[in-house]
Amino acid sequence: MTEQITLPTAPGFLWGASTAAHQIEGGNVNSDWWAKEHVPGTLCAESSGDAVDSYHRYPEDVRLLADAGLNAYRFSVEWARIEPAEGEISRAQLAHYRRMIDVCLAAGVTPVVTLLHFTLPRWFAERGGWFAPDAVDTFSRYVETVTQILGDVRHVVTINEPNITSMMLGASRRTNLDAAGLAAPDQAASEVQATAHRRAVEILHGLGHVRAGWTVANQVFQAAPGAEAARDAYAYPREDFFLEVARGDDFVGVQSYLRTIIGTDGEPVPFGDDVERTLTGWEYYPQALGEALEYTHRITGGVPMIVTENGMATADDARRIDYTRGALESMARAMAGGCRIEGYLHWSLLDNYEWMSGFAPTFGLIAVDRTTFERTPKPSLAWLGDVARTGKLPA
Ligand code: BGC
């Protein structure tokens, strides 16, 4: 039985979808991920190649989002394009991202701009990336550079999922996102990203109009019977540390897909065979979103939240709608319970390049033909647009 719930509507609430540059633009040849994809014996399923050519087709992508009734688009600007060699700033690439902002604003779409979504310029990665002695200064200079195009942008995400980055680096500084799983995070990487984030927030606040935050991957760590202490110990360096850094920020981005049950041995309990899995192999568990919001609310002490990612990889769009309905019902319960939530941005606007797994796991509200790049909105796009307009979950 579906609950009858009421959600806030656009324009007061951000209703939209998210993407990340490397996953949709194509040809991100100066980034460390491109290098990882092309190294002999790479563990990446395939090259990101042209991705879905959103670098050229973003006006159409923004138009499809706006036509559906959505009013917010989260995308990332690509450091590897803006600063292809250390200290060499591409005016043309800055102008490109400024045009993206303009296209959003002209369509009545609020841009939510992410400064760093996993990919680093190759030159920075080769110098050690977050382990480089001057990592914070280097990142801060990049943030200063991007402020030139943020004149009328209100929402800026500094770093996407620093906790996943720390776990990837913790997996013996391997380059394999999937294999990194939930590896013990590298605490030095966590701390340097926290410092970089705080500096970035200061720089962005210098503009006077920007609301800044970072996004955290919320795993909804649950304790198996008797495993409460083990769960807390597991969660702290992987999640709570990053949520504590967000205390005092203007917002925190909540990114939720699944839950993780921790056993008394302090390790994740594998799912049973009877559990429905998505194309990424994750458990189908839509209520994770509400639980992630309630947890984030508690650990940050009530910092306003934006759902900056939530969705499922599936070839069955009706199941995507079911998942999103379940997630939004749980979000409504979290709001009724006192959580301050300013927006819901679905992952993802487009079927895209899912890192190590390549193009197979489809998260998009819009399908893309990878040969012609033709876009075909799925029913879930119109469904989400209806929610944004009416505040009701359509049957
Ligand atoms: C990331 C996205 C990714 C998504 C689904 C998040 O961890 O920010 O880049 O595609 O989850 O795996």
Side-chain angles (χ1 to χ4, degrees), residues 19-20 23 74 117-118 160-161 164 177-178 215 217 219 255 257 280 282 308-309 311 313 347-348 352-355 361 363:
T19 60
Q23 296 179 266
R74 171 178 174 233
H117 195 120
F118 291 152
N160 178 70
E161 294 189 348
I164 296 291
L177 183 62
D178 290 349
T215 66
Q219 307 287 337
Q255 313 208 146
Y257 295 91
T280 39
W282 301 341
T308 37
E309 289 184 26
W347 185 270
S348 181
N352 63 31
Y353 182 73
E354 178 57 26
W355 306 111
F363 277 96

Side-chain angles (χ1 to χ4, degrees), residues 49-69:
D50 286 330
V52 292
D53 195 28
S54 198
Y55 184 83
H56 299 106
R57 291 165 201 261
Y58 69 87
E60 183 181 355
D61 298 337
V62 172
R63 185 175 52 72
L64 289 172
L65 175 143
D67 285 355

Side-chain angles (χ1 to χ4, degrees), residues 150-202:
L150 299 177
D152 41 13
V153 172
R154 275 213 81 208
H155 299 87
V156 179
V157 171
T158 58
I159 302 175
N160 178 70
E161 294 189 348
N163 52 335
I164 296 291
T165 296
S166 283
M167 287 185 241
M168 290 195 300
L169 294 170
S172 66
R173 303 188 184 180
R174 282 201 306 254
T175 51
N176 180 345
L177 183 62
D178 290 349
L182 294 174
D186 185 301
Q187 197 51 33
S190 301
E191 273 154 29
V192 73
Q193 289 182 93
T195 308
H197 167 67
R198 291 198 181 97
R199 283 268 291 276
V201 170
E202 255 174 56

Side-chain angles (χ1 to χ4, degrees), residues 370-381:
R370 295 222 32 257
T371 312
T372 62
F373 303 114
E374 191 189 339
R375 272 75 172 135
T376 307
K378 302 178 191 177
S380 52
L381 178 67

